[in-house]
Amino acid sequence: MKNIPRVLKWILGGLLAFEIVYVLAGIILVQSGQVDRWINKNPEKTMVTFDSAWSFVPGVARVSGVRVVNQGRGNQLEVVVDKARGFVNPLELLKKRVHVMGVNAEGVEFRFRKRPKTTEEAVERAEFAPPIEGIELEPWDGPTKEEEERAKAEKRAAEGKPPKKEGEGMTIAFTGAKIRDVREVWIDGIKITGSGRVAASVTIGPGSDREISIWSADVRYPDAQLEIGGTTVSKDLALRVEGSMAPFFTKQTKGKALVALITAQLEVEGMSSGQILNAYFGKAGWLEFESESRPMKASLDVRQGKIMAGSYIELAEGTLGAEFAGFIAEGQAGARLEAVPGDGDVAVADVRVAFSDYGMRRQAEGEPVMKGADLVIEARSPADLMLMPPEDFEGKLGLGTAEFPDLTFMNGLLPPGGGFTVKSGRGSVDGGFEIQEGAAVHGQVKIVTEDLIVDAAGVDTAGGVEVTIEVPDGNMKELKLGIDHTRVELHDFDFQSVGAVEDLPPWQGRFEVTEGTVDLGDEAGIDATMELTFSDTRPLVAFLARDKPMKGWQENLLMISEVTGEGVVNVSSGTTTIRHFGVRGEKLDVRFRAAMGPDGIFGKALAKYGILKAGIGIEGDDRDLKILSPGGWYKKDDIPGMPALMPEHSGPGDEEAARPTASPATDTDEGEAAADEPEKAADEEKEG
């Protein structure tokens, strides 16, 4: 019994001596750089630095100012930790297992970016990729994987070591790790900032193809901000994620395949802008949103990468702009993504953006030309994180109830020099489009005018127009729509001129596009082949009698019933090209081709009435009447800027080409000059 105190003294003394030696040895190892050399055996790949490290109890380590930089062929990352401590179980080291328990870390930043494959890609991504001090964002220029493995094998052989077997090495496990003040998580273009807390248990297996298991993770941010591509998407976010990740091997499972291993419950509430919608629709390539910040709430149940039915993301109503097909719709709108049961095991993500009211304008215009309510944009895609954001989806675009309050905006769209001016009128709009995979589109839009008055070459024309725009096919990405079978119905028109024909039923007309396309891109344009029918030639009579009444025989001569015709038209870059326009009725046959632009009209017209024929050449403000051989004259492309003749629409007078030449002299320059003399005389007589 008397020896017990002495034994205790020896034990305590021994422990104290061990502690002193342990601490001194640790200080010496750190100060001498030996620890740095141990952990940085391959600094060009992994570099670990720290401000200080110490341990007063074996197995318990404390570090501060830690920075870890790692880069390989496919990615680069950086981890910053202000301070941390943890306990390493020394007994498990015998089993080649580093088991760190009770880790407590504070002040963490994590940055990860994929390596670009080309210099051009590096320049493109530099704006949004996280910066890592001391490391350039550039393509990998080191040895190939095979070369690196061969070099390692040769080094081991030179050192007399046997070839390394897969699976050799240390297993690293973190149990009950707790991290406070996670200031920044930046992965490529996605950045979360705030002061978050993370609790997790993770195991990292040995070997080059390490098996990683995230047994549990609990992430909480009371006040976070989310940026995507340099744009703030959400702020003031209360974020909580609880979940796990199934084991995977780093070389076998990469990229989006990792998403299929995630099981988590996510709850979010805060403020968000329309950019969150762009995160979903972004890859579609034809739809973009912009809005002010408004309340957002989300609840997602994710199991093995699939969003379960009942999950949702909801964006409260507020000011929202939607840009599509060259148009911008702006108004009050809300949005909701909801996962609903699908046909198979995967739920379907239903997205609905609903405008309670809106105004629509072309991108280049300042004020909306169409106003309405209940505009709806819907999309459906698999509720699978591996397929998000979807590159393809099915959905619809419904215009709701809308109107053109003032149709005079059409004057900016009508071809310059065309002689048409909308003086007043309004119109109702109804219809929508179905969206299919590949951004394919089809649908119908109907426009009905009211109180329309048009100045047509100096004649006030009033009536109703009903336009049915048929879109049997098209592509929203390419901004091109087919408009086959589009119809324009002209009802009950009245022509206000001095010599207007009275006591006749209201004038009617109809245009139908047999084949046509519309380009809604930067170089907006229309190509259309159409057929037309008019009840009579009253518009022509009204134009010719706009200043003084016509004589009865003139009116009887020109008033022709049941007129039919066809046209081939192109509108682009401020120019309307009428490649062919023809009408026929009773004894009347008219052909016209011209280009209309800012400098006026340049073209030709050819008319045949019974046995009478005449041509008119139009060059800006100049008019040139052709009486002699007008059929042959019409076929010549001799007016600058005029569209070339379409052979199938050469016009009346084709028989002249088959008629024998009256005199061989007409085939000579002298003959042509002689033939011109009567024409000149006729022109002088006309001018007189």
Side-chain angles (χ1 to χ4, degrees):
M1 297 294 292
K2 292 180 180 181
N3 294 328
I4 291 178
R6 184 177 297 177
V7 172
L8 288 175
K9 290 178 181 179
W10 280 105
I11 293 175
L12 292 174
L15 290 175
L16 179 59
F18 175 77
E19 178 68 15
I20 293 172
V21 172
Y22 173 80
V23 172
L24 289 174
I27 293 174
I28 292 171
L29 289 173
V30 171
Q31 295 296 331
S32 66
Q34 182 58 50
V35 173
D36 181 75
R37 288 190 289 273
W38 280 342
I39 61 178
N40 292 313
K41 291 182 178 180
N42 192 2
E44 66 277 3
K45 183 175 182 181
T46 303
M47 172 64 76
V48 180
T49 60
F50 51 87
D51 293 339
S52 62
W54 67 98
S55 174
F56 295 113
V57 179
V60 178
R62 298 172 184 267
V63 292
S64 66
V66 180
R67 180 173 184 256
V68 180
V69 176
N70 178 274
Q71 59 176 335
R73 294 181 192 82
N75 52 64
Q76 299 168 317
L77 69 84
E78 176 187 33
V79 179
V80 174
V81 181
D82 289 350
K83 56 184 179 180
R85 67 177 177 82
F87 171 69
V88 178
N89 188 343
L91 297 177
E92 295 193 51
L93 294 175
L94 300 175
K95 301 177 182 178
K96 294 187 177 182
R97 177 181 173 89
V98 179
H99 189 182
V100 185
M101 297 179 289
V103 172
N104 277 278
E106 185 174 343
V108 175
E109 298 173 4
F110 177 83
R111 302 179 183 93
F112 175 93
R113 64 194 188 194
K114 293 181 180 178
R115 270 193 184 275
K117 290 183 170 56
T118 63
T119 304
E120 292 76 12
E121 183 185 346
V123 173
E124 182 181 335
R125 291 176 47 205
E127 184 178 359
F128 307 122
I132 299 177
E133 185 179 350
I135 297 182
E136 296 293 330
L137 180 63
E138 58 187 4
W140 172 260
D141 61 355
T144 64
K145 180 181 176 181
E146 292 73 16
E147 291 172 344
E148 192 174 76
E149 292 295 333
R150 185 164 56 250
K152 288 180 179 179
E154 291 173 354
K155 182 179 178 181
R156 291 182 66 87
E159 295 173 350
K161 298 178 181 178
K164 189 174 182 179
K165 297 179 181 179
E166 184 58 49
E168 282 187 355
M170 302 293 287
T171 296
I172 303 173
F174 296 90
T175 302
K178 295 180 180 179
I179 307 172
R180 299 187 304 278
D181 190 24
V182 181
R183 295 187 296 263
E184 179 180 282
V185 177
W186 194 342
I187 301 175
D188 281 326
I190 301 175
K191 180 181 180 182
I192 298 176
T193 55
S195 181
R197 290 173 173 264
V198 177
S201 294
V202 181
T203 301
I204 303 172
S208 58
D209 190 7
R210 295 179 178 273
E211 183 183 29
I212 297 179
S213 303
I214 302 177
W215 304 112
S216 65
D218 187 342
V219 180
R220 304 187 188 196
Y221 274 89
D223 187 7
Q225 177 172 295
L226 172 64
E227 296 179 29
I228 298 179
T231 302
T232 300
V233 173
S234 304
K235 59 183 180 180
D236 303 327
L237 290 178
L239 168 67
R240 180 173 180 177
V241 182
E242 292 183 81
S244 62
M245 194 168 184
F248 65 93
F249 288 93
T250 54
K251 290 186 178 181
Q252 300 175 27
T253 311
K254 298 179 180 180
K256 276 199 169 183
L258 296 170
V259 174
L261 308 177
I262 296 174
T263 295
Q265 184 71 38
L266 181 145
E267 303 289 337
V268 182
E269 191 167 354
M271 302 296 290
S272 184
S273 69
Q275 293 297 327
I276 194 171
L277 293 172
N278 292 334
Y280 177 84
F281 287 104
K283 285 193 174 181
W286 60 269
L287 181 60
E288 186 173 353
F289 294 90
E290 184 174 346
S291 78
E292 61 186 14
S293 187
R294 83 281 301 280
M296 184 270 289
K297 190 175 182 179
S299 177
L300 299 180
D301 181 7
V302 180
R303 302 179 191 177
Q304 296 179 335
K306 295 178 174 57
I307 301 175
M308 307 307 293
S311 300
Y312 69 89
I313 300 174
E314 190 170 59
L315 197 62
E317 185 170 287
T319 303
L320 182 68
E323 184 177 331
F324 54 87
F327 293 89
I328 297 177
E330 296 172 310
Q332 296 296 305
R336 182 179 175 90
L337 180 152
E338 184 173 3
V340 298
D343 296 333
D345 297 334
V346 181
V348 174
D350 267 351
V351 181
R352 178 182 174 87
V353 181
F355 286 78
S356 57
D357 63 71
Y358 71 96
M360 188 176 294
R361 60 182 173 85
R362 287 283 294 176
Q363 289 177 334
E365 296 167 352
E367 296 296 324
V369 297
M370 188 172 83
K371 297 181 179 180
D374 302 324
L375 170 69
V376 173
I377 301 171
E378 294 183 352
R380 290 173 62 89
S381 65
D384 189 336
L385 291 179
M386 288 188 66
L387 304 176
M388 288 190 177
E391 295 186 8
D392 261 336
F393 58 80
E394 296 181 353
K396 76 173 186 178
L397 173 63
L399 297 177
T401 303
E403 67 169 355
F404 292 114
D406 184 0
L407 287 172
T408 58
F409 82 91
M410 292 292 297
N411 293 324
L413 304 178
L414 293 173
F420 292 91
T421 303
V422 179
K423 299 180 72 174
S424 65
R426 62 183 185 275
S428 61
V429 185
D430 182 34
F433 302 95
E434 297 287 332
I435 312 297
Q436 298 175 322
E437 291 185 0
V441 61
H442 65 89
Q444 181 191 83
V445 174
K446 195 169 186 177
I447 303 170
V448 180
T449 69
E450 296 180 35
D451 302 327
L452 177 66
I453 298 178
V454 177
D455 181 335
V459 178
D460 278 358
T461 305
V465 178
E466 185 176 303
V467 182
T468 304
I469 303 173
E470 300 283 359
V471 181
D473 55 64
N475 190 282
M476 297 296 275
K477 276 187 181 179
E478 299 171 2
L479 295 179
K480 293 184 179 179
L481 305 177
I483 55 170
D484 297 2
H485 310 300
T486 289
R487 303 176 298 282
V488 180
E489 307 276 355
L490 310 174
H491 300 296
D492 303 332
F493 266 74
D494 183 33
F495 304 93
Q496 301 296 321
S497 67
V498 174
V501 181
E502 300 178 354
D503 301 326
L504 287 176
W507 187 84
Q508 317 289 335
R510 173 188 171 94
F511 294 85
E512 179 168 352
V513 176
T514 56
E515 184 178 354
T517 58
V518 172
D519 188 337
L520 297 172
D522 295 336
E523 299 295 330
I526 300 174
D527 277 301
T529 300
M530 64 185 71
E531 296 177 348
L532 59 92
T533 57
F534 299 151
S535 57
D536 51 53
T537 56
R538 209 175 316 170
L540 175 62
V541 174
F543 168 70
L544 295 175
R546 66 183 178 182
D547 298 321
K548 63 180 180 179
M550 301 180 70
K551 292 182 172 56
W553 67 270
Q554 293 173 322
E555 184 177 302
N556 291 334
L557 180 67
L558 294 174
M559 181 63 71
I560 297 172
S561 301
E562 299 181 2
V563 176
T564 61
E566 68 285 318
V568 181
V569 180
N570 170 268
V571 181
S572 63
S573 302
T575 300
T576 298
T577 302
I578 301 175
R579 299 185 62 201
H580 166 71
F581 186 82
V583 293
R584 293 170 298 282
E586 296 182 12
K587 298 180 180 181
L588 179 69
D589 196 329
V590 178
R591 294 288 185 273
F592 177 62
R593 57 189 174 110
M596 296 185 290
D599 298 329
I601 304 176
F602 296 83
K604 290 183 175 182
L606 177 65
K608 178 180 179 183
Y609 185 84
I611 62 172
L612 302 176
K613 287 181 293 181
I616 298 178
I618 307 171
E619 294 187 62
D621 295 330
D622 297 333
R623 303 291 185 270
D624 185 15
L625 179 66
K626 296 294 181 182
I627 297 176
L628 299 179
S629 303
W633 165 84
Y634 183 78
K635 297 174 184 178
K636 296 178 181 179
D637 299 329
D638 53 3
I639 294 181
M642 179 185 67
L645 178 72
M646 300 181 69
E648 64 270 31
H649 297 299
S650 56
D654 292 349
E655 68 278 2
E656 294 178 3
R659 186 182 303 163
T661 303
S663 169
T666 58
D667 291 332
T668 67
D669 292 341
E670 181 180 348
E672 288 183 2
D676 285 341
E677 290 302 323
E679 287 194 15
K680 291 180 180 178
D683 292 344
E684 292 172 359
E685 181 181 352
K686 173 200 68 173
E687 292 174 359

